[in-house]
Every structure is written in structure tokens, then in C-alpha cells.
Amino acid sequence: MNKIIRHTLLGVLALMAGTADLWANSAIYACGHIRRERETAIPALKASGYTTAIIFNVTVEEDGTLITDYDWANQRPAEAGGIICKDGKYVFGEYQPHFADDVKSLLEAPTSISRVEFCIGGWGNGSYGKVAKLIAAHGTGPETTLYKNFKALKEAIPEVVAINDDQEQDYDVNAATAFHRMLAQIGYKTTIAPYTQKSFWQQLVANLNAEKEICDLVYLQTYGGGAYNNPNDWKVFGNLPMYVGFDNESSSDLSDMKTRFTDWRDNAGAEGGFIWNYNNESRNLNQWATAINRIFPPKKVEETIATVYDKSNFNGNAYTLPAGEFSQGEMSLYGVQGKDIVSFELKDGYELTFYYGDTFDGTNKTWTESSKNVGPSWFKRACSIKIMPADTGVGSVESAGERVIEVFDILGRRIAEECTGLSAELYTAQKNLPSGIYVVKADGKTVKVVR
């Protein structure tokens, strides 16, 4: 295929297949592991299938300094931490020089991540009590250290869209309201992660969303101190989407998570799920994320080009895919787990390529028709996929008297069919089709036409 045309086609398919949703559907709290083992953890998150990464955590000190994993007694980072922002400046690069770029890269294709948040709080974290004292003493204006430090953080890593409030002590609704209104002025949305104190959270959200929506998502803790929470009892936040949680640090029971999330989806209106937490490699990220995505699908297929199965002869669980390029993480958005495909059905006129690597690298193989069994070399081996119009070459279906000519868009939808004597190029030009790439069939030939 002509390289320019192929490049254009790949770009169009990637855009169509990879458009980020307003809200993601599967989230995970990413802890210090992403700094300690960054060369492994960052690619693993991108290939996971999770659609939101909540970075745990940012701690507010008494003077408004922002830190994570910092040992004040010895004036040095604990683990892979340090001072994040101090005196209105982002200084974390002095401690963790790769952190800002790593966070930004989570959103860079190929990736499943479409949203990143910073968490403040957690069990035993005293940030909100310190925030309340700072606000009582100085307010929340642009001249305050608290404002300047969060503004510096936003300017250093603007890709982070929200501050996740995991307040588990110091429940001061007036201080929390003022704090999150300040964060909104800087450019942050708010999300909340309640496990108790329902009336506090209800009032906080009501305050924040009274004039405009500052809080846009609820992560309900249904583990630990919130183990007995029923999402039905927490329907006090209007139309805000509610995600339910599972602690896979304490439990490796994937079936239990699936049962809980399915029940809460069907009977409590849950719209997504999240995991506490990612702090080591003891769990298969892709397996758990894909399980959540199958319950709360992030993507809808408008036109099915391929259907993949986890058993031979088109049996077992079936998942549909449009045309496009799908890294392992992006496959998960459609419910397809890496190393899970045994057979597939493919629409005529398309080719499907499997890769051993999760970002279109390593050994690969291309098929141009359906396969009842991909064979021993590819049995549950595919970690990324490309689905494209078959590479039949770029050329012309020349005039040859009256015959049927068919025009398809890149998703395989027939958009024109007529008896004509025109060539493919002249016919598509005459139809005044929008700019794009089309597959034209006539006289037993298939060609691509770029408008």
C-alpha cells in the first residue's frame, strides 16, 4: 500500500477507535510503585485497560507545602518520594525527575488511560485538618501559599484533571467547600471517595455543585471501613456517576469482584468500578481491568468488523471490534483481554493482524479471512491487534462498460452502489463524497480511493 495513504488510513482509524470518553469506566489507585519501578509500572498501566489512574497521594503540610513519601525527620525522601511543591514552585523534579513526564505519558497513545487524578487523603492522612487551619488563617486567595502550590502543580502537570478527595478524618464541610472551590479556580475538577459520614459528603457535593459542576464523580468505598456500604444507600448526589470499589490488595478473588460489581450495576445503578490499589505486580492489571470493562463497557462498537472468541470454532465469550489499531490496553476497552483469543470472524474486505507485543511489536501474523482456530503459535497469544481494509493495492477500476460498482467507507459500510461505466476515481468524484478513504469494488477488483 502507498505509504502516504496507509499513514492517513491509520490516523483516521486510530482517531475513530481511540476517542476518549467524557467519563472513564474503570479506575485504579496508583501508589508509589509507579515511581519506585517506573520503567515497568508506567507501561503496565498504559497496557492495563484501566481508563482512569488516580495517583496516590499528595499530602498537604502545615505550611501548605505539598509532599509525597517524604521523611521530614531526616530531610530526605522516603522510598521514591519528595517535596512536590513549595513556596509556589514545583520542585518534585529535584527528587523524581521523570515523574511529570511519566504522568503525562499515561495519556499518550497507545494507552487505555484517558483520565488522571491526584488523590489527597487516605487513612491517617491529616491533610484536610491542615487545610482547614490554613484557610482559617489565610483564606484561599491567589496570594496564599496553598493556592500558589496547587497552581504550580497544575502548571507543571496540566493533564491531571481532578483532585480526588479521600477525606477520612477532620470532616469540616465549610473548609472542604472553600478548598475545592479554590481548586476549581485553578482548573481542577473534584471527585470524592467516601466510606462514611454520608451527610458530610452530601452537603459538600451540594455546595460544590450549587452554581456549576465542580464535583463530577463519586468513588464509593465498598471495602475496609466501607465494606458494608450498599450503593443504593448512597444515592444522595443527584445525577453524579457512581463507581464502586474493590480492594484487591486484601483479596485476590476476581470472581467475588465480578459478582459484586455486576450486582451493583444491575440493582444499584453503579456506572463503573475501581480498584484499590496498584502498588506491586502481584495482580494481572489487564485481567482485572478487562473484567471491569466487561461489566461497565467504556466503548460501543457502531460497526462490527471482527468478532473474537476465547474458544475455537467461534465458541466461548465473544467480543466485537471496529476497524482500527488496538494496543493491549485499548483491546480491553472493548472487553478483549490480552492472550485470550482462539478464533475470530472477520468481515470480507478486511485484514486482521495479531502481535505478540502489547504495542504492535514482536512476532506478528496477518489473516484476510475468518479463522476457526488461530493455531498453536497464536493460541491465546495476541496482545495487540490491527484491523484494516485488506491491502489490495491502490489503483483504478477502469471504465469497462456498464457494471455494478460499490463504494464502502473504512468501517465497511456500503455507502453507494450503482450500475455505471465510470472508473472508481471518477465515480467517487461524481458522488461528491466527503474527504476520506473509500474502498471501491467492481469487476472482481478492490481498490482504495482517497478523496
Side-chain angles (χ1 to χ4, degrees):
M1 182 186 292
N2 178 280
K3 290 184 179 179
I4 295 176
I5 293 176
R6 189 176 182 87
H7 177 76
T8 303
L9 179 59
L10 290 175
V12 172
L13 292 175
L15 179 63
M16 297 181 69
T19 302
D21 298 294
L22 177 60
W23 286 295
N25 291 68
S26 55
I28 190 166
Y29 280 83
C31 303
H33 180 62
I34 66 169
R35 290 177 270 113
R36 293 190 299 269
E37 303 291 339
R38 54 173 296 274
E39 292 184 355
T40 298
I42 294 299
L45 261 183
K46 296 179 67 170
S48 66
Y50 288 104
T51 52
T52 292
I54 306 169
I55 297 174
F56 187 89
N57 68 353
V58 174
T59 295
V60 181
E61 294 293 278
E62 291 181 353
D63 64 352
T65 296
L66 309 182
I67 68 164
T68 189
D69 295 328
Y70 189 72
D71 179 1
W72 282 109
N74 295 296
Q75 293 289 300
R76 65 187 182 192
E79 299 186 282
I83 299 173
I84 301 173
C85 292
K86 185 176 179 62
D87 299 327
K89 296 180 181 179
Y90 178 84
V91 296
F92 203 37
E94 299 173 14
Y95 301 87
Q96 305 300 327
H98 302 290
F99 181 73
D101 287 339
D102 282 348
V103 172
K104 294 176 182 181
S105 75
L106 291 175
L107 298 166
E108 296 171 356
T111 183
S112 63
I113 303 292
S114 58
R115 178 172 172 129
V116 181
E117 306 179 14
F118 280 136
C119 177
I120 299 176
W123 182 252
N125 184 286
S127 289
Y128 290 96
K130 295 169 186 174
V131 165
K133 291 179 181 178
L134 285 166
I135 291 175
H138 307 291
T140 59
E143 73 285 354
T144 65
T145 300
L146 191 65
Y147 185 103
K148 289 178 180 178
N149 282 338
F150 276 100
K151 185 172 185 291
L153 181 60
K154 182 66 172 175
E155 290 175 345
I157 316 177
E159 292 78 6
V160 176
V161 300
I163 298 297
N164 177 249
D165 186 331
D166 184 11
Q167 192 165 180
E168 301 191 10
Q169 62 190 71
D170 304 311
Y171 292 100
D172 183 333
V173 72
N174 292 326
T177 298
F179 177 55
H180 285 286
R181 284 177 176 167
M182 180 199 78
L183 293 173
Q185 291 176 0
I186 293 170
Y188 289 110
K189 285 286 190 179
T190 289
T191 62
I192 61 171
Y195 83 93
T196 188
Q197 300 287 333
K198 186 193 306 178
S199 60
F200 165 84
W201 294 106
Q202 183 178 9
Q203 187 60 58
L204 175 60
V205 171
N207 292 348
L208 295 180
N209 291 358
E211 297 179 4
K212 63 178 182 178
E213 187 178 81
I214 294 174
C215 180
D216 67 356
L217 195 57
V218 177
Y219 298 96
L220 180 65
Q221 295 188 46
T222 50
Y223 51 84
Y228 295 101
N229 279 332
N230 183 331
N232 276 314
D233 298 332
W234 284 80
K235 291 183 176 180
V236 296
F237 303 114
N239 294 322
L240 285 188
M242 181 183 293
Y243 290 9
V244 289
F246 189 87
D247 180 4
N248 78 350
E249 181 181 45
S250 301
S251 174
S252 60
D253 193 340
L254 182 63
S255 296
D256 182 32
M257 184 206 73
K258 291 191 288 187
T259 298
R260 289 169 180 253
F261 283 10
T262 301
D263 176 49
W264 288 330
R265 178 198 65 192
D266 296 341
N267 300 307
E271 297 183 40
F274 70 94
I275 293 294
W276 171 264
N277 60 41
Y278 177 41
N279 212 18
N280 53 56
E281 298 298 329
S282 62
R283 302 283 183 268
N284 183 320
L285 285 183
N286 183 237
Q287 181 184 33
W288 284 73
T290 305
I292 298 175
N293 290 336
R294 289 172 178 176
I295 299 167
F296 305 105
K299 295 287 187 180
K300 180 181 179 181
V301 177
E302 298 293 339
E303 184 77 13
T304 298
I305 303 302
T307 303
V308 299
Y309 302 84
D310 58 9
K311 292 185 179 180
S312 61
N313 298 312
F314 315 134
N315 290 318
N317 295 311
Y319 305 98
T320 60
L321 290 168
E325 298 185 349
F326 309 94
S327 66
Q328 178 176 278
E330 292 162 329
M331 284 164 49
S332 177
L333 303 181
Y334 294 89
V336 183
Q337 184 177 312
K339 298 184 178 180
D340 204 34
I341 301 172
V342 177
S343 61
F344 63 86
E345 294 178 285
L346 181 64
K347 188 171 183 176
D348 288 345
Y350 284 82
E351 62 183 28
L352 177 150
T353 304
F354 285 163
Y355 296 82
Y356 278 2
D358 57 29
T359 55
F360 319 112
D361 52 341
T363 302
N364 63 83
K365 181 178 178 179
T366 298
W367 286 262
T368 56
E369 58 185 18
S370 301
S371 176
K372 292 183 177 181
N373 191 310
V374 296
S377 296
W378 286 95
F379 183 87
K380 293 183 178 289
R381 294 293 298 272
C383 289
S384 52
I385 303 173
K386 290 182 182 179
I387 305 171
M388 301 179 60
D391 191 358
T392 53
V394 178
S396 298
V397 175
E398 301 294 344
S399 290
E402 292 288 318
R403 78 272 195 253
V404 174
I405 188 168
E406 298 174 282
V407 181
F408 302 82
D409 66 14
I410 60 171
L411 293 181
R413 296 173 295 204
R414 182 187 289 107
I415 58 176
E417 180 179 3
E418 193 172 334
C419 233
T420 178
L422 297 175
S423 68
E425 289 81 358
L426 288 175
Y427 179 72
T428 52
Q430 185 186 72
K431 299 298 289 185
N432 197 28
L433 297 171
S435 297
I437 299 173
Y438 299 91
V439 176
V440 182
K441 295 182 179 181
D443 296 335
K445 297 180 181 179
T446 300
V447 300
K448 295 183 180 72
V449 175
V450 181
R451 292 269 303 142

